[in-house]
Amino acid sequence: GARNASAIFRPYHEQSPGNWIRWCLDNLSDNATEAEYLYRKLFHKTREYLESQGVDNLLYCYSPDLPYQKPFATKAAFLEHYHRGMPDIEKVDVLGMEAYLWKLFMPEDQEAFANASTIIDGHAQQDEYYRILARPWKRALQMCTWLREEYPNKIVGLTETGWNYKKWGDFQGEPIEAFWQQVGAQMVHSLPENERPHFLCLWRNDIGDRYGPWDNGSSRFAQEAIAIAQDWGTQVVDISPPSVIT
């Protein structure tokens, strides 16, 4: 039934692939079947405990990570990866993916991106950059389409996505911000409604790696952020600072 939710709760994210965090499958057990069982049990127990304590306003989200530079050629291959440790479907309200574009940026894309730096005409160069960046973005959106097809009654989103400017460069000294407003949004809107992600989260780390549509060096931070939010149908609101509790 309907839930009066105030937040999406995304515990134990990026559990597969890898071993970079405590709850990753590779850290739970050397036996793959047992690792998946333990992860599933951890997720179930967490939800059961919170609900037993009266927490009734969360949407629980499951969100694995992606292998580096190994896009899924078929829906079956993607779902095989996605189902590794997946909680029981009735225990999950939101199906997410951590899909950073740099992880989906193939060697041929990198080569094309480097070659585009030699294009003299600025507009032509930007168009080429955008065309190349559209490739990993299409791969990310494809996974959301597959999830929408497989689970038509669930919320589906890209729970972390973005482009790493420190890793792959910028455009004439400015981050490639307008990609998200122009090409990124257009590609989503061009999909049938039932194939689009319901939401996405552009990630930004203050420690140095920025995956969102801006970098600290950008002079257009607020302008770009608001434009992206409005283009995606997001309500932009002023949030008052929290009260000081003494």
Side-chain angles (χ1 to χ4, degrees), residues 10 12 101 126 128 132 137 143 182 190 199 205 221 241:
R10 186 167 55 104
Y12 319 125
L101 269 61
Q126 178 175 281
E128 180 66 3
I132 299 163
W137 184 228
M143 290 180 287
Q182 299 174 19
S190 69
F199 71 96
N205 290 335
F221 180 95

Side-chain angles (χ1 to χ4, degrees), residues 68-243:
Y68 174 62
Q69 289 195 340
K70 292 182 179 179
F72 299 101
T74 65
K75 178 180 177 180
F78 166 68
L79 290 176
E80 181 181 3
H81 168 74
Y82 195 81
H83 288 156
R84 290 194 65 210
M86 182 176 174
D88 294 344
I89 194 62
E90 66 270 15
K91 298 288 188 182
V92 180
D93 306 296
V94 179
L95 300 177
M97 278 302 303
E98 321 284 273
Y100 287 106
L101 269 61
W102 67 269
K103 280 199 166 187
L104 296 167
F105 206 52
M106 300 300 106
E108 58 269 26
D109 301 334
Q110 295 177 24
E111 182 179 0
F113 201 81
N115 291 339
S117 66
T118 63
I119 298 175
I120 297 174
D121 180 80
H123 292 295
Q125 185 185 58
Q126 178 175 281
D127 289 344
E128 180 66 3
Y129 276 144
Y130 286 178
R131 189 184 68 82
I132 299 163
L133 274 177
R135 299 174 187 172
W137 184 228
K138 182 178 181 180
R139 296 176 184 123
L141 293 175
Q142 177 64 76
M143 290 180 287
C144 291
T145 298
W146 284 331
L147 287 175
R148 291 289 308 269
E149 291 173 352
E150 192 73 8
Y151 301 100
N153 298 321
K154 295 295 181 181
I155 299 170
V156 171
L158 292 171
T159 43
E160 290 185 30
T161 190
W163 172 257
N164 187 324
Y165 300 105
K166 299 299 182 186
K167 217 178 260 289
W168 303 119
D170 53 21
F171 173 65
Q172 296 183 349
E174 273 293 316
I176 313 173
E177 298 162 319
F179 171 82
W180 295 100
Q181 287 185 54
Q182 299 174 19
V183 180
Q186 287 176 8
M187 290 177 67
V188 173
H189 297 327
S190 69
L191 292 171
E193 191 282 329
N194 64 343
E195 296 181 9
R196 305 173 191 168
H198 289 107
F199 71 96
L200 64 89
C201 176
L202 293 161
W203 197 261
R204 181 178 183 273
N205 290 335
D206 273 342
I207 59 174
D209 286 341
R210 279 89 187 187
Y211 300 91
W214 46 76
D215 194 357
N216 275 1
S218 172
S219 62
R220 302 196 298 266
F221 180 95
Q223 172 190 339
E224 300 293 344
I226 292 173
I228 290 166
Q230 291 174 337
D231 191 47
W232 286 83
T234 305
Q235 184 178 7
V236 179
V237 297
D238 291 325
I239 301 175
S240 300
S243 301

Side-chain angles (χ1 to χ4, degrees), residues 25-52:
L25 295 183
D26 289 352
N27 288 335
L28 296 181
S29 174
D30 291 334
N31 181 287
T33 301
E34 183 181 39
E36 293 184 41
Y37 166 78
L38 292 172
Y39 179 85
R40 193 175 295 113
K41 186 174 182 180
L42 173 64
F43 196 103
H44 292 174
K45 288 287 187 182
T46 299
R47 177 164 185 164
E48 290 164 6
Y49 172 76
L50 290 174
E51 292 183 337
S52 75

